[in-house]
Every structure is written in structure tokens, then in C-alpha cells.
Amino acid sequence: MKRLASLIFTILIVLPLYTQVRGNIDIPDLNGFVTLKCDFHIHTVFSDGLVWPSVRVDEAYREGLDAISITDHIEYRPYKNDVAGSFNRSYEIAKESAVSKGIIVIPGSEITRNMPPGHSNALFLNDADKLDKPDYQDAFRAAGEQNAFIFWNHPCWDAQQPNEVKWFDEHSKLHQEGLLHGIEVVNGVHYCREAHKWAIEKNLTLIGSSDVHAPMQSSHFFKKDGHRSMTLVFARTKTAEGIQEALTQRRTAIYYRDNIIGDEIILKELFEKAVEITMKKEGQRVRITFTNNSQLFFHLKKTDFDDNLTYFRDFIIEPHGKHTTTVKMKDGINSGEIKFSVENFLVEPDKGMKYSVKIE
Amino acid sequence: MKRLASLIFTILIVLPLYTQVRGNIDIPDLNGFVTLKCDFHIHTVFSDGLVWPSVRVDEAYREGLDAISITDHIEYRPYKNDVAGSFNRSYEIAKESAVSKGIIVIPGSEITRNMPPGHSNALFLNDADKLDKPDYQDAFRAAGEQNAFIFWNHPCWDAQQPNEVKWFDEHSKLHQEGLLHGIEVVNGVHYCREAHKWAIEKNLTLIGSSDVHAPMQSSHFFKKDGHRSMTLVFARTKTAEGIQEALTQRRTAIYYRDNIIGDEIILKELFEKAVEITMKKEGQRVRITFTNNSQLFFHLKKTDFDDNLTYFRDFIIEPHGKHTTTVKMKDGINSGEIKFSVENFLVEPDKGMKYSVKIE
Amino acid sequence: MKRLASLIFTILIVLPLYTQVRGNIDIPDLNGFVTLKCDFHIHTVFSDGLVWPSVRVDEAYREGLDAISITDHIEYRPYKNDVAGSFNRSYEIAKESAVSKGIIVIPGSEITRNMPPGHSNALFLNDADKLDKPDYQDAFRAAGEQNAFIFWNHPCWDAQQPNEVKWFDEHSKLHQEGLLHGIEVVNGVHYCREAHKWAIEKNLTLIGSSDVHAPMQSSHFFKKDGHRSMTLVFARTKTAEGIQEALTQRRTAIYYRDNIIGDEIILKELFEKAVEITMKKEGQRVRITFTNNSQLFFHLKKTDFDDNLTYFRDFIIEPHGKHTTTVKMKDGINSGEIKFSVENFLVEPDKGMKYSVKIE
Amino acid sequence: MKRLASLIFTILIVLPLYTQVRGNIDIPDLNGFVTLKCDFHIHTVFSDGLVWPSVRVDEAYREGLDAISITDHIEYRPYKNDVAGSFNRSYEIAKESAVSKGIIVIPGSEITRNMPPGHSNALFLNDADKLDKPDYQDAFRAAGEQNAFIFWNHPCWDAQQPNEVKWFDEHSKLHQEGLLHGIEVVNGVHYCREAHKWAIEKNLTLIGSSDVHAPMQSSHFFKKDGHRSMTLVFARTKTAEGIQEALTQRRTAIYYRDNIIGDEIILKELFEKAVEITMKKEGQRVRITFTNNSQLFFHLKKTDFDDNLTYFRDFIIEPHGKHTTTVKMKDGINSGEIKFSVENFLVEPDKGMKYSVKIE
């Protein structure tokens, strides 16, 4: 009895030892939409991950994420002799630890099968335990009955697609049944160009995620890039419902290393919100200043060669940087248009977003 | 003729290559005063420094400083066979490069003499060339005639005070003549406790500075601490005049590694502006949350042992961190006061600022 | 059946995803002893830690540690409804994952009691389950019967010693019974001066440890200092047996932030192995160069003021740095001794190691 | 007289304030050749750079470079009213400061002209002043008469080639006259694919350099990549003569961000020296371990799809990392060859170095 009392005392005192420092990911909102930074593919010790679920909330808080989903494997739990229980358990623990931190935790699970159809994440589940079925189609249907948002994970994964990256009939069938809504174009540090192509062709929601198993900060690339791979969700509200609506409407982009992957209309607005462009004319020269109010890089590359206007070939606007360049107009020329692509804003595989600025 | 034209073209194009990224030093303002982050002791190739004056402006911009003074030595110019000219020249170059960046550059010089009186900086000069006199007293008086603000540099410097740190009659005399207004308590990574003591005794303005000669970022401690040693100036306006008035009125503090050195009244207000304290009572326990809205550390240490209240011995609130701790009241006790010092807010040598929080 | 096969395939392929990068802690060996970098106080999800035991091995590998002990609490397992099993389990998992990495894992447990006697770690256990006893004395005796090395953890911990740091009769009794061999002078970022004093008075082995619960890299101080708090063990062999012999013989020191805490004889040898001192005489001047072949800092401070020799007041030799200083001898003086303390090599609370260098 | 004495004293004492920490670039040597890390394109205040020449030596020392050349512009000295003198002066100052640090300083100058022929660096000059001629051909010939090694700088520079990257007749003529030996394929963070192509076609020595003007550490990319752009010179001896012989014989490669650019034979040997490959057969599986003993990245990508062998699609071996992957052989198959390219070892524009490993 005395021991119990002492332990309760211990808990209350021990907790404050961890100072929490909230991070921030500086990417602007769009008109009418808040830009939520989300990671929908995360593991814990409840499948083959290496951390307790609350660590995933701490990481999200520290890194400046708005929402996460713990998506432990249904069919693969290597530590089950040590860590047992319902498939909902890692969500419950994460959810509870998130209350005081304002992180949105979305219930989810990874349906983990041979190829086809490979691995898929189902989000917004009411009861993950219902996905534990011998036949994968039953698992997908159980998710569908809960109105889950489902996406195919890492279609390029060499362990399942060693020699060729294929879209199988099974995927077509799931898609037709309304059981496949998105596709993971970026998984960890891997970009899958086939997935990017299919997302555009088949109107699938673009997803980028970390698929983190170890503590986030142990990744060399995390340190190098300053952030994990994530999905930017352009939501009407900063809520789970807002995220679900945005995912269903395909209002997402992917933030991957120094790149943004997404639809041209969204990327153009994101560029305009992040970068302020001002001009100052001095005779036949115009000085253009790009002021970057975000943490994003912008790799600009000239796309049009016009003898009337002489300007940069390419340059990089650094995070929160201000970059000034000079455009020289030929004698007798008083206006024109500088045309460039933002090479790291990918609207298709290998195709940067095009942009132009009027000079006058 | 043709070559000249091409070179002008070159200059216009070359300049934009340096992307400028503005930094920020997160330290709050005080009531009625803006907190300016200033470094009043800096060298360039115009004396024995190793960079061009514009680099000092770039560094200030990148680090988030508001004002600098280039204080090249009058009497010591080791590169004078290569770099010649007026003692005002490094100021002029820095000043011009600062226009577009919003950095305040204050004209200054270092009067560089044997001990006594050692080295001193004179700020707000109209013409530094007038300080080039054989007798040090004439140099000080020439500065005084320009209404300069003068402070004694690195009184603890081992090269000039190898065995004992002394205040000489010559300093008393300058002080009495109104030619010594401040004292450098922190020079680079060196804190001088004697200077701290004299500043309090003799009502001298507290100055902390980098005395940087090499590029700022080559300092190991700069990287470790995240900032240089600097003077915080609590000014009515963000102008050179505002700084001069504040220096004259001794409204400064020193930001040195993780420490703030200053007057108790100023430090207390700074603490209250930086740290929000909230409480939540649960029976005989009160949970206190310290939310740090600054980049400063706070090292709290209990100063009073009261059996009625059980609380922390010491802890550190990290930059931008939130720290929660529990106070336990004895049965029958419903209020009290927790008392601690902020060990790294030095109001005297070895004496942290005292603070208390009422619990009820 | 088919699913099982696929899952085995999955495991084999998934594992290689984590690239392992071995770290290094650059601290020299002593004559006849290898300097092992050890952390004997670590938690996992098997008590109130937040990571899987193998993460602790990965961290040790990456940071350059030689040996760790997972010391999960016997009496405090807040996740026991999710993570159950023997008290030996976290050791077993860590041990297995350490095989290929050459990290020594020492079995251990934390006996977790009210004060007195508070918390203690027992290392080199054969069976941790035998420590699960209602009476703390029985737990200590069960550890003693296994020839465990036992040390008192965080004697300054405010949760257990809120108003005064006391050595209780219970500690004397354990000590007399041969059940208390060491004391944790450094726990995480906390140094306990009382524990340092007792270690010297009572001949207890000096222990410094991380007491890490979260992933190591999430600590702000870990990033700032570049390493965790640890025990340096000067062992005859790089084996568990070598460590046990060295701990028993009190051949340890503590590496804490920029400090080394230990016995004067050991610290002196460590300094001499780490820093090469060379001299060059030029008339009445001698140039002394300190070449630091370690990652340690050395804060040198003059202790003797001798009018015959003029030299530095204090300076810092940076990690892997080379530092040259000049000693000036008075006319007619041709030899002498420069005397200083290494302020961050603590031989007692507030007392740096003294050292002198002959000049001739 | 007294003042002079005090200043000499000051100099002797001030110098030791800068602790020097030698860096290291971990790239292996080749058989019979030492791999020297060199930067042959650097500016100082003696042209349009922003630092004193000795800073360039300090940077080289700290970063782990073996050799540098200060290549201030002949025709462009914007600070000439403040910094005057011979074109050899920046070399002389750097050379003197390099003596105690073991950095090789090679005399050089940048011949700075309109396009064609644009800017070129001439190394191993005896007297840079002789290059100050109105006609560029006379400048090149003056360099040629001193047996200089000459390379064309930044052929892709948008300021001189705004709309198209051209090789002009003037370049052919210089080449035929033996006055053009190398080409800068990488300048700062810019890779020039046309230059890479021409280097291969015309047997020009591959050069990569920083073209640094500001302090090195102020570059965002320097921090991100951990090193500047540089030329790796495979020399018979670590001397200026060794470098000259290797440059003349085109034994160089370029280290640019995470990439190595060079001749296939050299890159293959570099890969083999840096990466140790070991295998362990377990039935139809072979575990291959790649141990990276360098600071280089290796981006491996499968190039051959063979149904008999199932293995990775792509992965990255991190600096000093160990990476294990599994190859699965089809039943009945007992040997084969895994084929991949090292994507970041560029042997031509867009073409990674091919490699294969025999499995048996």
C-alpha cells in the first residue's frame, strides 16, 4: 500500500522532466484552406516499429506536424510475444498523449499482404480489429464499411516489385470497388515515379509519408533535409474531418526532401503565397527581388530564350531568403515576360511547374 | 572602354549571387522599450580584422542583430602597407552596405594603448581621424568633443593585466572628466568579474561584445551557443539616437553564452516578458507551467526550503520550451510562495536574480 | 501457409533498410587500461522508457559507446498491461541485437524504492526476476547473492530529497553489508555535489549516466554537448569481466557535458595522454603549444602569480585544437614553472585538477 | 618608441587567441597516388572577395583541404582605392600564413574577360603582374610563358552565356595553342553539363571549385553538404609539383555536393577503395554487406533485371555506413552477377558508373 502511494508520487514528479519544444514547418496556407503537415504512415512497438506510440506524438509536436496516423501492421507483429493486445491499442495510447499537445491523431492500420495488392494503409477506422481477415479482399471491405480512406503503400518497393513496377488487376478491382483512394508516391527517402504517373492518370490522392520505424531523429536524411517526408493537406478546418474531406477531394501535395509534388494549380498558388516578387526599373534594367517567406527551396530555371530579354539561367532561392536578379531589356524593348520552371515543384515526373513574370 | 562596360555588367549580375537570409534573436521587448541586439566591438581588414567591412553587416543581418559598430584600432594597423586610408573608411563601407538591410551602423574606433588605460572604444564619432594623437588623453578628449560614448575594453585581458586586474588612477581620472561611460564586462567568450563589480560600483554602462576579428562563423563557441556575445540595448526607438540615449542612461544588459547579465529590475521584467507562468490546482497539488516564449535558457534553483511546500530543487527551461512542475502543499496548507533564483540571470558576480511565485 | 512465407521474406528484406553508422568518442586510453565509454542507467518500454531495447544498442553504436546496461525498474512498469514478461526480457532483446555490433550489454535492473534508500541499479545480474521482493533489503541481498555491482541512483533527485540531500542510516547499513559499491554523481544533465563528496569520503565508485527514457537524440543537451553523460571505465580488457573488475576497483571517471570528474591521479594521466605540450624558446620568450588529440575541452586557469613569469590568465583548448601561448620571462630569469588548474577536470566539488609545466 | 614596443608585445599575445582545429575529408587514396583535396578558384579582398588571404588558408585547414590557389581577378579590383599593390600580393600573404599549417598554396590569377573567351584561371604562375595586358591573348601567352596550367571558368555562367552555352572559336584557338588545359565543370553549386561534355570530347582536365568570395561558412550549401565543391587531384606526391603533374595528366575528379564526377577507371578504383563488399551465402540467399570507409554517399541503382536473381532496386550507402542487402537466387541457380550503377558517380552527363558483383 505504501509502495503504491510512492509510485503515484513518482509519476507526477517524473513527467515534468521532459521539456516540450513545439516546432514549426513554415509553409503558407492557401486561400480558404489551412495547410496541414501530416504523416499517415508510422509504426510503433505494436507492430515492427521501435518506439512507444507517445513518442510519435512527441516527434510530431517537436517537428511541427499537425496530424499523424499510427499505422501498425495487422498481419505482421514480430514482438507479439512481448507486446500483445488489440490492433486499436497503439492509436489509443497515441491519442491520449496527444490531447495536451494539439496534435490530431487519426486511427489507422496497415493491411500487409503479398503483392498483389501489397501493403495498404486504411485511415479513419472505427475498429482496426475488424481488418484481421485471412482474405485481403475481406480486409479491404471491412475498412470500406468503416468509410476508411485507403492508399497503396510504396508501390516501388523492391521487396515486392523486384524487377518491374506493375499495377495489377487486383489494384484495378479495388479501385473500381471504391476501396483504393490514394497512392504513396513518396515513402521515406524513396520517390516512385510509376506511382506519381498512376496518381495523375487514375485520379488518386497523392500521399507522401515517412514509414518511420526507428526514432525519427536517427535518420541521416532527416537531419540533412530538416524534415521528414510528409503529405501537405489543404483542409477547410484543422480537424480530423477536415483532413478526411481534403484527402477525399485530393487536395494534397507531397513535401519530400527539397521538393513539392502536386497538382499544378495547387503548386502555383503555394509558390505565390510563399514568394513575394517585386520589381524596380532602372532604364533598360529591371531588378527583380524574390522574397521567400517559407522554409521551402525554389530551384528556378529559365525555360525560354528570348533575345529581347537577358536574364538568369537558373538559381536557387533559399529558405527565408531574399534573392535579387537583374533582367536586361534590349534597346527599344520596354516590356516582356521572363519564363522559368520551378524545377523542384514537380507537377509530373521530371516536369517542374512553369511560371512567368511580366516585366514592364 | 569596352572592357569597362563589360565589368559594370559583371558587377550587376554578380551581386545577386549571395542570397541573404535574415536571422532573428528571440528576446522580448520591455514596456516602452525595444530590445536591440547590438555588438559594439568589431574589427575588419582596416585594422587587424580578417574580413571586409560589408561582411560584418552581412553577419549582423544573418544573425539577427539590430546594430553594430566597426571599431578598428587607431594605433594598430598591421596591414597598412596593403590597406590604407582614413580611420573613417571601414565605417563608410559598412554603412553603405547596410542601407538595404536595415542594420544600424554606428561610427566607432578603438583607442589602443598600453595599460593604463588599455584599450577603449569610442562610439558615435563624427571623425575618427581626430583620435590619432600621440597622448592618449588627447585622443579621449577628441572623442569627448564629439560627444562620444566611451567604454573600457576587456579590463581582464591577460596581455595587459597578467597578474592582477586593476582599476588605475588613470581610469578614475577619465571617469571624473566624463570620458568613461561604460565597461566591457564580456569580451568574446571571456567574462570579467572585476569589470562586473566596477560597473555596479561606479555606475558604468554594461557592455558585452564579440571583439570579432575572424569571420564570425569560424568560432567554435558561436556554433555551440548559437549566438555571439552582445549588448542588449533597451531603446525608446530603433535608431542610432535611441541607442545613444539608452547607453547613456545605462539601459543595457549583456547576452553571453546562456547568461544574461544586468540590473535586477531590468532582468526581472525581461524574465516576466519571456516566461508565462500558469497554475492549475488539484487538491493539495498545484501544477505550474512555465512557457518560454524566447530563445533564452532559464536555470531555476530553489532558494528557500519550506516544509509546507514541496517542490523542485532546480531545473532548466529550454528555449521555446514548456516545462511543467508540481508543487505539493502539506495537509492543511492552502497557499504559499515558491522561491527560486534564475541562476543564469546574473545581477552581480555569482548572484542569480531572485524570484518568487505565489501559490494559492 | 503462403502468408507466413511471404512474411519471412518481408523480414529479411526489411532489415537492411537501416544503415548503421558507427560513432566514436575520442578519449585516450591510459597505460595498461582501455578507456571504455559506458552508460549503466537506461530504460526501455519494459519499464517506463519509450523505446524498444534494440534502439538502446543502435544508439550506443551510433554514439560510439562500448557498453550499456538496460536497467528497467523492477517495481515500476506502467505499461505492464501491454508489455509483460520477465524482468530479464529487455536485457535478452538488447543482448541479441548487440551481437553483430560489438556492443557489450551488461544485465541490470533498477531497484525502485521510496527514500530511503531510493533507487539503485544492480549490474551483472544472473536473474533479475529474483529482485522482485516486497522488502528492499531482500532485493539488495538477492542482487548481492548474484555478485552484483550496486550503485545508488540520483541521490539529489528532488522528488525524493525535496528539501535537503541526506545520506540515511539505511545507506550506511547497505554499505557496511557490502551491498553499495558506487554512487551516481551525474544523472542526465544533473550533477550532485553531495554525491561527489560522499564518493570521495566513502570510497564509492563514481558513476555518471544518462537515465535516458526517450530516444537519446530528442534531448536538447545531447545535441548541444555532442554526447550523453557517461561513465569512463578504465578496464584491463574490453569485456564485461573487464568492466566489472574496473568498477569494483573504482577505476572510473565521469564524462558530463564539457567536464571530466574523477580521481586526481587518473585525471592527470588522462590530461597527459590527451594533450601534447611542446615548447620553443626565443630569448626571454617561450612559445608553448598545447595540441589536443581528443574531443575533450580543457579550461586552463592560472593558479600562481609569479612576477618572474608573465603568462595567460585563462584559456580554453578546443576539441582536436592546437593552441599556442607565450610565456615571457623577466630579464635575468631563465626558467620557472607555469601553474594552472584544468577547471573542467573536477577532482572534488568546485576544485579543478592542478597542473604545472616546467619552463627552461 | 614606447608605443612601438607595446604593440609588438600585443601582437605576440593576440595571435594565440585563435585555436586551430584541423579538419579531414575522408576520401581514400588510389594505388600509387595520394588523393589531394584542392580548390583552385578562390577570391580575397585583393579583388572582389570579402576576406583577407590568410582566412582562405584557415578555412582550408579547418575543412581538411590539402591545397588552394588564390585566384584574384587581374582586370577587376573594385576595392583598389583601398587595397592596392601587386597581383602577387594575395598569394604572398596566403603563402606565409600557410607555412605552419601544411597547406599547399599555388600561385594563380583569374584572367577576367568578356565572352569569348570569358574568365580563366592560370595556376603555377611566377609573376601574376605579367598577365595585366590589354589584349586577352597576350595575357594567356604571358601565362603560357610561365608554364601555367590554364582552365576556363564557369562556361555556363548566365551573365556571359545568357541564352546558350557555346564553345567559341576563341576557345579552340587557345586550346590549339596549348593555352587551355582544363575546364571548370563545377563552379560553386552549379554543375555545367556542356563543360562536362567538352571535357570528355577535348581531353580537358576536370576542375571543380568553390569560386568563393564571402567567408566559406556563410554558404547555406556548405553547411548542408558538409564540404565545398573541390577538385580531387590524384598526385604522386603531396607537393605543388605533384599537383601540377597530375593536373597536366588529367588525373582529377570533382567532388560536388554528394557527387563524384570523373573518368570511369578512376571512379571505379575510388569506389573499390572506399567500399568493402563481403558476402555470406545461406542456401538460396546471399547476404551482401557494403561497408563504406569514406565520407562519400553511394546511390546504387539496379541496371539489369534478371529473373534468376532477385535483389534491390536502389539504395543509398551513407557516409561511414554499413549496409546489408539480400540477393535471392532462383531454385537451381547457384551463381550470377548483380549489376548496378552508382548514380552519383558521374562518368558522363546523366550517366552513373556501372558496376557488378559476382555472386557464387
Side-chain angles (χ1 to χ4, degrees), chain A residues 22 107 162 186 223 239-240 245 262 268 325 355:
Chain A
R22 178 62 168 158
V186 170
K223 276 176 284 176
T239 58
E245 189 267 351
K268 200 174 160 188
T325 189
Y355 202 81

Side-chain angles (χ1 to χ4, degrees), chain A residues 8-9 12-13 15-22 61 100 282 285 287 310 316-326 328, chain B residues 8-9 12-13 15-22 61 100 282 285 287 310 316-326 328:
Chain A
I8 289 167
F9 182 53
L12 282 164
I13 297 284
L15 284 174
L17 284 173
Y18 304 103
T19 298
Q20 302 289 343
V21 181
R22 178 62 168 158
Y61 185 84
S100 66
E282 294 162 350
R285 293 174 191 284
R287 290 180 69 80
T310 299
I316 293 169
I317 311 175
E318 293 179 23
H320 294 284
K322 186 179 280 199
H323 191 105
T324 298
T325 189
T326 300
K328 197 185 157 191
Chain B
I8 289 167
F9 181 53
L12 282 163
I13 298 284
L15 285 174
L17 284 173
Y18 304 103
T19 298
Q20 301 289 344
V21 181
R22 177 63 168 157
Y61 185 83
S100 65
E282 294 163 349
R285 291 174 192 284
R287 291 180 69 78
T310 298
I316 293 168
I317 312 175
E318 294 179 23
H320 295 284
K322 187 179 279 198
H323 190 105
T324 299
T325 189
T326 300
K328 197 185 157 191

Side-chain angles (χ1 to χ4, degrees), chain B residues 156-331:
Chain B
C156 276
W157 189 31
D158 52 18
Q160 293 198 324
Q161 303 244 43
N163 284 337
E164 200 184 338
V165 180
K166 282 178 279 188
W167 173 279
F168 290 82
D169 289 345
E170 284 80 352
H171 297 112
S172 294
K173 205 178 154 205
L174 288 169
H175 192 207
Q176 282 151 20
E177 273 195 60
L179 295 173
L180 190 56
H181 314 98
I183 191 161
E184 209 181 47
V185 173
V186 170
N187 174 278
V189 297
H190 299 282
Y191 164 75
C192 178
R193 69 184 286 119
E194 288 86 351
H196 193 183
K197 198 166 55 72
W198 294 330
I200 295 167
E201 284 172 17
K202 299 170 199 287
N203 272 332
L204 296 167
T205 304
L206 295 164
I207 302 287
S209 34
S210 70
D211 198 2
V212 62
H213 287 70
M216 195 66 225
Q217 291 172 304
S218 63
S219 153
H220 184 95
F221 289 96
F222 176 77
K223 278 177 281 173
K224 190 162 187 176
D225 300 331
H227 66 91
R228 66 171 86 188
S229 292
M230 69 185 73
T231 305
L232 303 179
V233 174
F234 307 101
R236 293 191 196 282
T237 58
K238 191 183 161 181
T239 59
E241 294 70 33
I243 291 171
Q244 190 161 15
E245 189 268 350
L247 287 177
T248 306
Q249 296 302 315
R250 306 195 313 276
R251 282 200 314 278
T252 66
I254 297 167
Y255 184 24
Y256 159 60
R257 307 206 66 182
D258 291 347
N259 308 292
I260 299 286
I261 297 166
D263 176 79
E264 187 146 23
I265 293 168
I266 287 176
L267 264 48
K268 200 174 159 189
E269 186 177 348
L270 196 60
F271 176 71
E272 290 173 345
K273 294 286 183 198
V275 178
E276 189 189 350
I277 302 175
T278 57
M279 276 180 243
K280 198 176 162 191
K281 202 164 181 178
E282 294 163 349
Q284 290 307 96
R285 291 174 192 284
V286 181
R287 291 180 69 78
I288 309 185
T289 298
F290 298 85
T291 303
N292 181 357
N293 298 312
S294 77
Q295 72 174 47
L296 302 173
F297 280 90
F298 298 94
H299 295 228
L300 271 51
K301 185 170 175 170
K302 179 192 260 185
T303 50
D304 192 58
F305 295 88
D306 173 353
D307 280 341
N308 289 330
L309 294 181
T310 298
Y311 54 98
F312 63 84
R313 298 183 75 79
D314 54 57
F315 66 81
I316 293 168
I317 312 175
E318 294 179 23
H320 295 284
K322 187 179 279 198
H323 190 105
T324 299
T325 189
T326 300
V327 180
K328 197 185 157 191
M329 293 176 287
K330 220 179 188 169
D331 286 345

Side-chain angles (χ1 to χ4, degrees), chain C residues 8-9 12-13 15-22 61 100 282 285 287 310 316-326 328, chain D residues 8-9 12-13 15-22 61 100 282 285 287 310 316-326 328:
Chain C
I8 289 167
F9 181 53
L12 282 164
I13 297 284
L15 285 174
L17 284 173
Y18 304 103
T19 298
Q20 302 290 342
V21 181
R22 178 62 168 159
Y61 185 84
S100 65
E282 294 162 350
R285 293 175 191 282
R287 292 180 68 79
T310 298
I316 293 169
I317 312 175
E318 294 179 23
H320 294 285
K322 186 179 281 199
H323 190 105
T324 299
T325 190
T326 300
K328 196 184 157 193
Chain D
I8 290 167
F9 182 53
L12 282 164
I13 298 284
L15 286 173
L17 284 172
Y18 305 103
T19 298
Q20 301 289 343
V21 181
R22 178 63 169 157
Y61 184 84
S100 65
E282 294 163 350
R285 292 174 192 283
R287 290 180 69 80
T310 298
I316 293 168
I317 311 176
E318 293 178 24
H320 294 286
K322 186 179 280 199
H323 190 106
T324 300
T325 189
T326 301
K328 196 186 158 192

